[in-house]
Amino acid sequence: MSGEKRIPTGIAGLDRVIEGGVRDNTTLLVVGSSGTGKSTFAMQYLNYGLEHGENGLYISMEEPPEQIMREAKMLGFNLDKYYNKELFFFHSKGKDFVKLVDEQLPALVEANKNYSVKTRVIIDPLTPLIWAIQDKQEQREIITKLFYTLKQLGPVLITTEEHAAPGETIGEDVLIPIYMSDGAVHLTYRPIGGAFNRALEIVKMRATRHGEEVYPYIFVRGVGVVVRTTPLVSAEDLRKYDDVFDKAIRTAADIGASERMLERLVYVKENWSYPFSPKETLQIFFESQGLNDAVTREELAKRREIEASSPETNLDIAEITGGTLQVEDEVVMPDFQDDAVVSDPEGEEGLIEIDSLSELEELVQ
């Protein structure tokens, strides 16, 4: 799990599957077709920050401030009391937005440098800007500058309307904003139980261990959006596979893994969040690192004995076996569920048995 401090979004349920919230000075893009509740997400995100001592900047490219606050009040969010105190609005349209990005917002960032209070920023929606600039290169440049400027104020949430063609998972018109953002969630209508219901998927979330399921959500007056999720890892399951990882780390150390690889295994152990055993993943990782030979404790002891008595001899288990050890043509991988590195060699087919040191030396030669 990341040790970086997280900022709660205030969207009920969402923070449970994004490590507790968003990172500071990042952008979160909310993508969805009309009626999926993008503006509700934005108002709820903004309201949470205001209620917890933050400032708010709402950049609207469609509705005037009065209408936004009126709609927020219908959902149970009273933004009026913060208006022109902790909450400020920019209302701009189309090409006028370029001037806002080039001049007004940088001036605001500069003026805000002397204040310690974080500003939670909303852009709702980005769609008119996307439509106003047809050239993709120009569009990318203005969006890059916009995101870079606003992230200096605090965490940013941007909504954008999607117009996907039949067969498209995500509309082509929102690909550039998704690519430029630090995180993106996709809101959709899905047929569930014979009816169309809203659901959320996390498309990306940089430097964040996030849920990968489809999460239904509902609207509750007085609360806002409620995303129906379960914690990514429950408290009781958080350390469920520690024994598997510990045995894998011991195995790696026994077969000569580097310190860097051992550090990586420890890091994987600390961040494992899946509900299934990591055994197969660890085996694949071992193979990718060239550690896919099965080594018995007896062989390791002989190997160390030879290395101690003949420092000039560089003994490699692959040289002894001529490659990967095999049992009936199947690769022998370390079993991380067992206490030993590999079970006792007696009775195992395919392993080379060496009775004396001289026999081993002859084989190496």
Side-chain angles (χ1 to χ4, degrees), residues 68 113 134 147 165-166 173 303 309 328:
I68 293 170
K113 284 184 177 179
Q134 297 299 319
F147 287 5
D173 54 334
R303 176 177 175 179
S309 60
E328 297 180 351

Side-chain angles (χ1 to χ4, degrees), residues 232-247:
L232 197 58
V233 182
S234 62
E236 60 270 19
D237 287 343
L238 190 60
R239 303 268 64 95
K240 183 177 180 179
Y241 296 111
D242 276 7
D243 287 346
V244 178
F245 279 108
D246 291 341
K247 290 165 188 173

Side-chain angles (χ1 to χ4, degrees), residues 8-11 14-15 18 22-23 25-31 37-46 57-60 119-126 146-147 150-151 154-160 181-185 187 200:
T9 64
I11 298 168
L14 178 60
D15 292 338
I18 56 171
V22 295
R23 296 179 298 129
N25 307 114
T26 59
T27 51
L28 174 62
L29 186 70
V30 179
V31 180
K38 299 181 298 298
S39 292
T40 303
F41 271 78
M43 292 174 187
Q44 189 169 340
Y45 178 83
L46 177 68
L57 173 62
Y58 200 116
I59 301 172
S60 172
T119 299
R120 192 170 289 218
V121 184
I122 300 292
I123 305 174
D124 182 36
L126 190 65
L146 173 66
F147 287 5
L150 291 179
K151 285 196 291 185
V156 185
L157 185 144
I158 308 106
T159 73
T160 185
S181 65
D182 297 298
V185 298
L187 311 181
L200 174 150

Side-chain angles (χ1 to χ4, degrees), residues 263-275:
E263 290 173 359
R264 290 173 69 183
L265 288 171
V266 172
Y267 188 81
V268 174
K269 170 187 171 182
E270 293 173 349
N271 289 273
W272 186 261
S273 62
Y274 297 100

Side-chain angles (χ1 to χ4, degrees), residues 284-304:
I284 294 171
F285 176 65
F286 268 53
E287 183 176 348
S288 73
Q289 300 299 308
L291 297 173
N292 57 326
D293 289 335
V295 183
T296 67
R297 291 191 185 281
E298 183 179 349
E299 288 168 340
L300 284 169
K302 289 180 179 179
R303 176 177 175 179
R304 289 166 183 154

Side-chain angles (χ1 to χ4, degrees), residues 78-103:
N78 185 11
L79 301 181
D80 298 52
K81 62 182 180 180
Y82 302 107
Y83 185 43
N84 283 337
K85 298 174 185 175
E86 295 84 13
L87 172 60
F88 303 91
F89 286 88
F90 274 117
H91 186 209
S92 184
K93 292 186 178 181
K95 284 288 186 181
D96 294 339
F97 199 76
V98 176
K99 183 179 179 181
L100 177 68
V101 174
D102 287 340
E103 300 176 12

